[in-house]
Amino acid sequence: MIRAKYINEQTPWQDLTPGGEIYEPGTAREFNTGTWRTDTPVFVVEACKHCMLCVPFCPDSAIPVKGGKRLDFDYMHCKGCGICAEVCPFPGAITMVSGGVPS
Amino acid sequence: MKRVYNLKQEVEKPPRLTGGHRLCAGCGAGVVVAGVLRALNKEDRAVVTNATGCLEVSTFMYPYTAYMDSFIHSAFENSAATCSGVEAAYNALKRRGKVEGTVKFITFGGDGGTYDIGFQSLSGAMERGHDMVYVCYDNEAYMNTGIQRSSSTPRFARTTTSPVGAKNQGKKQEKKDLTDIMVAHNIPYVAQTAPLGNFKDLHTKAYKAIYTEGPCFMNVLSPCPRGWDYPMAKLAEIIKLAVDTCVWPLFEVEEGVWHLSYMPKRKLPVEDFLRPQGRFRHMFEQGNEWMIEAAQAYVDQRWERLLERSGA
Ligand SMILES: Cc1ncc(C[n+]2csc(CCOP(=O)(O)OP(=O)(O)O)c2C)c(N)n1
Ligand code: SF4
Ligand SMILES: [Mg+2]
């Protein structure tokens, strides 16, 4: 069966998944919403206390966590809303900069 | 059932709502849905049902799904019926030994899909006693079709069908009290919550709702930066103000027993919640002071009633 990442506007209907259903989990991860950003959060790991308060507030699940550490942003999915920078209690850990970079 | 909440442990779980969905930047719905699904035990599976609305069109767009679990959408008005049917089918398969493991059934509906058009479907599913959770992500209007008023829209709020002008000053009616109506269904668990602080309130309520046997209902405040007209980065602040002004009190009703979950240290005046939002801007114009007074009186009356019921 064709994988979601190979399906696009040019795919003939005969090749689409049966019933137009989606057979793999979390295929939205293939889609880049990072290009939506007009502002970008910048993470400074030295200022982060790994309190995790920003993580559940991210509407785009774009703050990865591993082994008790908050990692750098997933810029392929971060839309630059800035909610994380507002909830972070530690100055300098998350700063919003103008523009859609880095990506 | 009682478990100690640990944010660090919870965020270590892989998200069950992934990035790459098309909700607007800063949309509360993504935060609410990821927060509810985080309460699932890691080893359990879920079937997510969704009413038509912003969440549905943004998280499930062929060939992209933002869910790690099974997902089904059929229409705007029948998400609870759809979920209850899937639950019944699962039970039938389980009886025949054709399906293994724990599967939980969770429906998400917007306020339009829940308070209005999907209400009979919701009421029926709750009455039939299906083992499911219905979660309303309440953004107080029909956002996906361009901000029309629903029965959840608060009085005075500006929407495209309750405009502000010479003849009209926002919505004329008060917000329907859906949480109260769900309590009247005498189901095992009803909760009102919001994403707040370390998410303990939302998480523990979602856990209870998911793992309490029988039909459970959660009403979760889900700000929409477009419809409410506030800077998108202010999501957490807007929610905190809704809770601290008692506009959106946090409480739960377990087997008919009311329990207040949060008592603000200092109850703030409602205008603190109204002021940052464009949808209430006209309330601050000269001559409209009575609107703020009316909004305050309404909140005070509801809050007193809640205190009485919960014995707080
Ligand atoms: C029967 C029916 N009527 C109308 C619509 C058009 N429609 C699609 S989404 C939507 C608004 C949904 O509002 P709500 O449930 O509050 O969710 P939100 O978009 O605000 O998250 C409407 C009116 C529809 N899909 N089906
Ligand atoms: S219109 Fe509002 S509710 Fe809909 S996706 Fe955008 S922010 Fe979310
Ligand atoms: Mg809505």
Side-chain angles (χ1 to χ4, degrees), chain A residues 79-103:
Chain A
K79 295 170 188 156
C81 66
I83 295 170
C84 54
E86 291 278 327
V87 298
C88 175
F90 302 104
I94 307 173
T95 324
M96 295 304 291
V97 300
S98 179
V101 286
S103 163

Side-chain angles (χ1 to χ4, degrees), chain B residues 21 30-32 38 92 102 114 120 135 156 162 169 172 176 178 184 187 209 240 258 270 276 312:
Chain B
H21 61 65
V31 179
V32 168
R38 195 178 294 117
T102 304
T114 308
Q120 52 84 14
V135 182
F156 304 117
S162 60
Q169 293 281 308
K172 293 193 171 75
K176 186 198 273 184
L178 183 71
I187 51 180
K240 183 88 170 72
W258 290 72
V270 281

Side-chain angles (χ1 to χ4, degrees), chain A residues 27-43:
Chain A
T27 50
R29 286 173 295 185
E30 303 282 348
F31 191 83
N32 186 346
T33 52
T35 56
W36 294 16
R37 277 199 306 283
T38 52
D39 293 329
T40 297
V42 175
F43 179 55

Side-chain angles (χ1 to χ4, degrees), chain B residues 118-287:
Chain B
F119 182 67
Q120 52 84 14
S121 171
L122 166 63
S123 182
M126 298 288 110
E127 184 272 332
R128 290 191 301 275
H130 295 277
D131 188 10
M132 61 177 275
V133 188
Y134 191 106
V135 182
C136 176
Y137 68 100
D138 189 354
N139 55 28
E140 305 194 314
Y142 292 80
M143 297 310 180
N144 187 52
T145 38
I147 322 171
Q148 291 84 26
R149 58 84 86 191
S150 76
S151 61
S152 165
T153 305
R155 189 176 173 200
F156 304 117
R158 179 195 68 205
T159 69
T160 52
T161 49
S162 60
V164 174
K167 296 236 164 108
N168 204 59
Q169 293 281 308
K171 195 188 167 195
K172 293 193 171 75
Q173 301 82 1
E174 296 287 1
K175 182 182 171 93
K176 186 198 273 184
D177 198 339
L178 183 71
T179 314
D180 218 359
I181 296 168
M182 297 320 296
V183 174
H185 282 67
N186 296 322
I187 51 180
Y189 188 70
V190 175
Q192 185 162 295
T193 182
L196 197 73
N198 69 357
F199 279 58
K200 184 174 181 216
D201 194 77
L202 178 93
H203 186 94
T204 41
K205 285 172 177 170
Y207 188 85
K208 274 191 204 173
I210 294 168
Y211 290 101
T212 297
E213 216 184 303
C216 299
F217 177 83
M218 291 174 72
N219 206 357
V220 192
L221 190 68
S222 179
C224 161
R226 301 295 164 278
W228 295 15
D229 191 4
Y230 68 87
M232 63 184 166
K234 299 286 179 193
L235 179 87
E237 192 180 318
I238 293 280
I239 294 173
K240 183 88 170 72
L241 286 168
V243 171
D244 280 336
T245 53
C246 303
V247 163
W248 189 263
L250 309 181
F251 62 92
E252 58 188 351
V253 184
E254 263 180 290
E255 299 293 352
V257 181
W258 290 72
H259 173 71
L260 184 72
S261 316
Y262 174 81
M263 175 74 86
K265 279 190 198 72
R266 199 168 67 84
K267 181 168 172 279
L268 299 177
V270 281
E271 52 183 288
D272 289 3
F273 171 69
L274 305 173
R275 199 180 297 106
Q277 302 177 56
R279 63 176 173 157
F280 298 121
R281 191 170 295 132
H282 56 289
M283 296 175 79
F284 292 88
E285 276 163 23
Q286 215 170 25

